[in-house]
Amino acid sequence: MSPKKNIVLALAGMALFSGVANADIITFKFTGTVTYGGVLATVGDKITGLVSYDTNTLPLNDFTGYAYYKLPAPFVISASVGDHQIIANTPSVTVADNYGGNIEDSVTVSSGPVVVDNTTLYSNGSFGFHIASNAGSTEALTNTNLPVFFDLTAFDAGPSQNYGYLQMDGSSDGQLLGFSIDSIVSPQQLPQASHNHSHRSKADKNKHKYGFDD
């Protein structure tokens, strides 16, 4: 099966997840603003992504204040920025609650390898986002379960701890994209948007094709 078919099927699977009558599976739409674009985007561009998980997923590692989850296929994290598409399979989620140190509560979603534009595979790449609250700020999370809601105002650690990224590898010059995290909401919280289907740019058509309409 071609990479193009793989990404279409994966995103179609996410759309099915969001439509089934199963409250255990949640799809989140996240948005951000590009802070580093490299060759993929311009600073200030908007990025829109999706990530789904089953809240019944058991952690692979779990101890006081910390849990690590690995999401099985067909779960993915994916995004659209300009004319570019990003997808990574079987994401991991790390949740820390009242953990102490320079941050208190945090959620990290990350996955790799990464496919960009359906053709370019970064076998050592990673794509995801990280959000956190300041030391002593314990209202963002109440436990280490997979979150069912995100109140970004409670993740108040600032830009150095609230960000998204795309890396081609782990090297110092491996960054392809950096972005802020502006919102993380589930589809049932999103207003229904109306679109003029007869007047769309190439970027708008690509977003519609892959399910990233604003």
Side-chain angles (χ1 to χ4, degrees), residues 75-144:
F75 291 106
V76 302
I77 180 172
S78 53
S80 171
V81 57
D83 292 337
H84 300 288
Q85 311 297 325
I86 305 163
I87 188 167
N89 294 318
T90 59
S92 62
V93 182
T94 301
V95 182
D97 176 48
N98 296 356
Y99 202 61
N102 64 316
I103 60 175
E104 200 72 65
D105 297 346
S106 67
V107 178
T108 304
V109 181
S110 181
S111 186
V114 184
V115 175
V116 176
D117 293 337
N118 311 332
T119 55
T120 305
L121 171 66
Y122 296 103
S123 56
N124 295 316
S126 61
F127 174 60
F129 63 84
H130 172 79
I131 55 176
S133 67
N134 271 318
S137 181
T138 62
E139 301 301 316
L141 299 171
T142 59
N143 53 51
T144 57

Side-chain angles (χ1 to χ4, degrees), residues 46-190:
K46 299 300 181 181
I47 183 170
T48 302
L50 298 172
V51 63
S52 292
Y53 50 69
D54 186 339
T55 58
N56 287 326
T57 302
L58 296 177
L60 292 181
N61 294 298
D62 186 13
F63 53 88
T64 302
Y66 173 92
Y68 172 80
Y69 302 83
K70 186 68 174 179
L71 307 178
F75 291 106
V76 302
I77 180 172
S78 53
S80 171
V81 57
D83 292 337
H84 300 288
Q85 311 297 325
I86 305 163
I87 188 167
N89 294 318
T90 59
S92 62
V93 182
T94 301
V95 182
D97 176 48
N98 296 356
Y99 202 61
N102 64 316
I103 60 175
E104 200 72 65
D105 297 346
S106 67
V107 178
T108 304
V109 181
S110 181
S111 186
V114 184
V115 175
V116 176
D117 293 337
N118 311 332
T119 55
T120 305
L121 171 66
Y122 296 103
S123 56
N124 295 316
S126 61
F127 174 60
F129 63 84
H130 172 79
I131 55 176
S133 67
N134 271 318
S137 181
T138 62
E139 301 301 316
L141 299 171
T142 59
N143 53 51
T144 57
N145 296 337
L146 287 169
V148 298
F149 176 80
F150 291 93
D151 177 6
L152 283 187
T153 62
F155 290 92
D156 57 359
S160 65
Q161 292 290 341
N162 292 277
Y163 58 88
Y165 60 90
L166 171 63
Q167 294 277 138
M168 70 169 70
D169 55 40
S171 65
S172 59
D173 59 351
Q175 185 178 25
L176 294 171
L177 195 68
F179 54 95
S180 64
I181 299 297
D182 300 337
S183 68
I184 308 175
V185 294
S186 58
Q188 56 266 37
Q189 297 170 304
L190 295 176

